[in-house]
Amino acid sequence: MPEVLSVLVKTPLSTIMDALGDPIRLKIVRMLLEKGEIACGGFDLDLPKSTRSHHFKVLRDAGIILKHEEGTSIYNYIDRESLEERCPGLLEMLTQAEPPY
Amino acid sequence: MPEVLSVLVKTPLSTIMDALGDPIRLKIVRMLLEKGEIACGGFDLDLPKSTRSHHFKVLRDAGIILKHEEGTSIYNYIDRESLEERCPGLLEMLTQAEPPY
DNA sequence: TGCATTGTTCGGGAAACTTCGAACAATGTT
DNA sequence: AACATTGTTCGAAGTTTCCCGAACAATGCA
């Protein structure tokens, strides 16, 4: 393992940016910003559920979304409070960014 | 080539986020934000110049930085104007984000 | 004309990411 | 109990990224 890598490791912020660097995950986040809560399957993404689940996990591990089981359904939603504390202005930036996203 | 990928391709915004998803590039951007212009070699990054050049290219291709040759030196600086237009609030967010970055 | 400096490009090998089907829980429904 | 639904996990394959040394411009200086 090269010594250089020990100098710069993944940080919370770079992890967040990395998670948002994928077009699919970025679309998921934007859908959540628009519609509030969405069940994992409630996306019009033509992807197998294993792929979807993977992307949701990346977003969860980055601290961007949380999930919330209510009865029979599992909803995903954006952890606005935590995000606003760690990256003030990020969510507002995402909603204001120019298309195409 | 899977059909699915034709639905969601890289977008300008996801490209920007992806570029900032690397700890090294994020550090470069933060240094530029603090110090204004910096020559490619003027970073205290313990990396060979080929690696450094690679990261600068990624940042340039994402439209985050520009370079500016002045006499013998080549300076890099952040394209604030263009960034502010495409991602309003991004630079402010980066400066306000909580450490560790 | 050499020589140093600075940055890019190329080629490879290693590591990480993305994607998918299949198998596996967990829950609700009939 | 049998089945459907929803989401996770696993393993494998393909792609991409990252990193580095080496070779290659381009410029300035001795």
Side-chain angles (χ1 to χ4, degrees):
Chain A
M1 201 176 304
E3 175 222 337
V4 170
L5 286 186
S6 63
V7 176
L8 276 191
V9 291
K10 267 194 178 179
T11 59
L13 182 53
S14 74
T15 301
I16 291 176
M17 303 305 255
D18 197 42
L20 297 177
D22 183 281
I24 294 176
R25 292 194 291 266
L26 193 53
K27 175 163 185 176
I28 291 175
V29 169
R30 301 195 108 263
M31 292 173 73
L32 287 174
L33 280 175
E34 290 178 13
K35 308 188 178 178
E37 302 187 337
I38 307 181
C40 186
F43 289 85
D44 62 346
L45 294 172
D46 191 14
L47 294 170
K49 54 184 180 177
S50 57
T51 302
R52 249 192 316 251
S53 185
H54 160 69
H55 286 301
F56 276 95
K57 177 170 169 48
V58 173
L59 289 172
R60 274 198 306 273
D61 291 346
I64 297 178
I65 66 174
L66 295 171
K67 69 175 165 184
H68 154 234
E69 318 199 4
E70 186 174 302
T72 160
S73 300
I74 301 181
Y75 292 105
N76 297 281
Y77 63 102
I78 292 184
D79 192 349
R80 291 177 178 272
E81 194 173 348
S82 168
L83 264 184
E84 198 56 38
E85 188 177 353
R86 290 174 293 154
C87 296
L90 172 66
L91 295 179
E92 194 180 355
M93 186 215 75
L94 289 179
T95 60
Q96 291 184 357
E98 275 208 351
Y101 315 106
Chain B
M1 202 175 305
E3 176 223 335
V4 169
L5 287 187
S6 63
V7 177
L8 276 191
V9 291
K10 267 195 179 180
T11 60
L13 182 53
S14 74
T15 301
I16 290 175
M17 302 307 252
D18 198 40
L20 297 177
D22 183 281
I24 293 176
R25 291 193 290 266
L26 194 52
K27 176 164 185 178
I28 290 175
V29 169
R30 302 194 106 263
M31 292 173 73
L32 287 176
L33 279 176
E34 291 178 13
K35 308 188 180 180
E37 302 186 336
I38 307 182
C40 186
F43 288 85
D44 62 345
L45 293 171
D46 192 14
L47 294 170
K49 55 183 180 177
S50 57
T51 302
R52 251 195 310 257
S53 184
H54 159 68
H55 286 302
F56 277 94
K57 177 171 169 49
V58 174
L59 290 172
R60 273 199 306 272
D61 291 347
I64 297 177
I65 65 173
L66 294 172
K67 69 176 164 183
H68 154 235
E69 319 200 3
E70 187 174 301
T72 160
S73 299
I74 301 181
Y75 292 105
N76 297 281
Y77 63 101
I78 293 184
D79 193 349
R80 291 177 178 271
E81 194 173 348
S82 167
L83 265 183
E84 199 56 37
E85 186 177 354
R86 290 174 293 156
C87 295
L90 172 65
L91 295 179
E92 194 181 355
M93 187 216 75
L94 289 180
T95 60
Q96 292 184 357
E98 275 208 352
Y101 316 105

